Amino acid sequence: CGEAICLEQAAGRYVQAGCYTTAELAVTPCNAVLTSWNCDTPRGTACEVQIRIFARGFWSRWMSYGKWSPFIRRQSVQNPVADSDNASLDGGTVHIKSPGGAEAVQLRIYLYSDDTQATPTVRLLAASVRPVQWQRNDGDAIQQRLLPCPAYTQNLRNPRFVGKISDAIAVTMLMNRWGEDLLPEEVAHTCYDFSAGANRSFTAALAGCYGYECFLRYADLAFLKKEVKSGFACAAAVHYAPDAETALEKNLPLVEGAPCAAQRHILVVRGFETDENGTEFVLVNDSRSATDDTAVRRYTL
């Protein structure tokens, strides 16, 4: 299928299943891995990504993310963990237990079809690692860069999704800035993980269904600034407390002006600016805010 991966055809019909396996990919010693895929999966088709890691001289077992399609009841797989395992897959993130980290990863993706006239098409299969020794770079200060991006609060959406929708609402903002007209509930329902709830890999895959290149990545501030300077707003995973007392009580970083305390939250970074005193700020759309208007915020970087 050109630069994409699809099922083979025989006598004008697609076979019902196939598998693509990457080479064994050497990586900087890492203690966590994020995996992403962008696929077109018409009705009657699905894909399933699996990963294994190499650590302490041994390959782990293959761990599955579960079958993916916007047209099925998606459920991440509860991969059993043994004491001897070097890695575990939990909530879409592979955690490496070996102190020295993993030295290699390998991905494979299964393609399934119940319709001989339809095939899944895989356009992206990616992994991002978090290095054990990571020299993060803050990058140069940006005087002012602001990207237009619609802002939504999750507090005024369908009550079923309140508190569970930050992944989906962030990717809705990112897609709608390019001209889509999507409701956060629509996106949340289509990428919801019926086993674990929010699933970042599923959320990125949903954006891929609309034709966007969307992936998860461990990144430092320098990379984030580069993306924004290039015109790309980003969803960022954060945790914070709005005041010193809550920060101490819950062991969270203090972000003055934050709307609440958040242990696991996704917001949209849409810009940076620096004031006359040299203080850097990050411009965000924070869906934990009370209203759409107050979701447009500026935090000290």
Side-chain angles (χ1 to χ4, degrees):
C1 298
E3 295 183 356
I5 301 167
C6 61
L7 290 171
E8 293 182 335
Q9 275 187 307
R13 294 171 175 264
Y14 288 107
V15 299
Q16 288 190 289
C19 179
Y20 171 80
T21 305
T22 71
E24 297 174 1
L25 307 172
V27 297
T28 300
C30 61
N31 53 29
V33 184
L34 297 171
T35 305
S36 310
W37 59 89
N38 293 165
C39 305
D40 296 324
T41 50
R43 288 187 183 275
T45 73
C47 66
E48 178 185 359
V49 173
Q50 298 183 358
I51 186 172
R52 66 174 185 163
I53 66 97
F54 184 80
R56 294 192 294 190
F58 297 96
W59 281 101
S60 72
R61 71 197 187 288
W62 286 100
M63 296 171 284
S64 172
Y65 285 84
K67 287 187 177 181
W68 160 260
S69 169
F71 302 111
I72 65 173
R73 185 178 174 85
R74 298 158 302 281
Q75 291 182 278
S76 56
V77 174
Q78 300 302 307
N79 295 277
V81 180
D83 291 340
S84 59
D85 288 342
N86 288 327
S88 62
L89 175 56
D90 177 33
T93 303
V94 177
H95 300 282
I96 317 301
K97 295 194 287 185
S98 172
E103 303 162 28
V105 301
Q106 190 172 26
L107 301 173
R108 68 184 181 191
I109 184 166
Y110 285 94
L111 282 65
Y112 307 107
S113 180
D114 293 330
D115 183 348
T116 59
Q117 299 302 310
T119 177
T121 303
V122 183
R123 292 178 281 105
L124 180 143
L125 181 61
S128 176
V129 303
R130 184 175 64 197
V132 174
Q133 300 294 330
W134 189 0
Q135 300 300 317
R136 295 177 179 84
N137 184 354
D138 288 349
D140 297 331
I142 297 176
Q143 292 306 307
Q144 187 168 50
R145 176 65 162 153
L146 174 61
L147 303 174
C149 186
Y152 313 126
T153 176
Q154 57 183 290
N155 297 319
L156 301 179
R157 313 310 307 187
N158 187 315
R160 289 177 56 197
F161 294 113
V162 171
K164 306 175 184 178
I165 200 175
S166 69
D167 299 51
I169 206 166
V171 83
T172 303
M173 296 184 217
L174 295 179
M175 289 193 290
N176 282 356
R177 76 174 291 248
W178 295 110
E180 304 293 341
D181 186 19
L182 298 168
L183 293 174
E185 291 90 343
E186 179 183 6
V187 172
H189 180 76
T190 313
C191 65
Y192 189 73
D193 182 340
F194 285 89
S195 175
N199 183 316
R200 296 175 188 172
S201 293
F202 284 7
T203 306
L206 186 279
C209 292
Y210 287 90
Y212 295 98
E213 182 181 79
C214 186
F215 51 87
L216 307 175
R217 177 181 174 126
Y218 290 107
D220 57 16
L221 282 175
F223 179 86
L224 188 57
K225 290 176 178 177
K226 179 181 177 182
E227 288 292 284
V228 169
K229 286 177 70 174
S230 298
F232 299 107
C234 298
V238 299
H239 53 283
Y240 56 58
D243 56 72
E245 182 179 354
T246 306
L248 182 62
E249 176 188 350
K250 298 182 180 253
N251 192 29
L252 291 170
L254 171 63
V255 175
E256 293 183 357
C260 62
Q263 294 279 1
R264 179 194 178 280
H265 179 47
I266 310 294
L267 50 69
V268 168
V269 175
R270 57 185 175 79
F272 295 92
E273 64 183 24
T274 305
D275 69 11
E276 62 275 8
N277 298 318
T279 302
E280 292 185 75
F281 296 90
V282 58
L283 310 175
V284 303
N285 290 349
D286 192 336
S287 66
R288 295 298 295 266
S289 304
T291 66
D292 290 351
D293 289 340
T294 59
V296 178
R297 290 177 175 259
R298 183 179 84 157
Y299 296 143
T300 304
L301 182 58

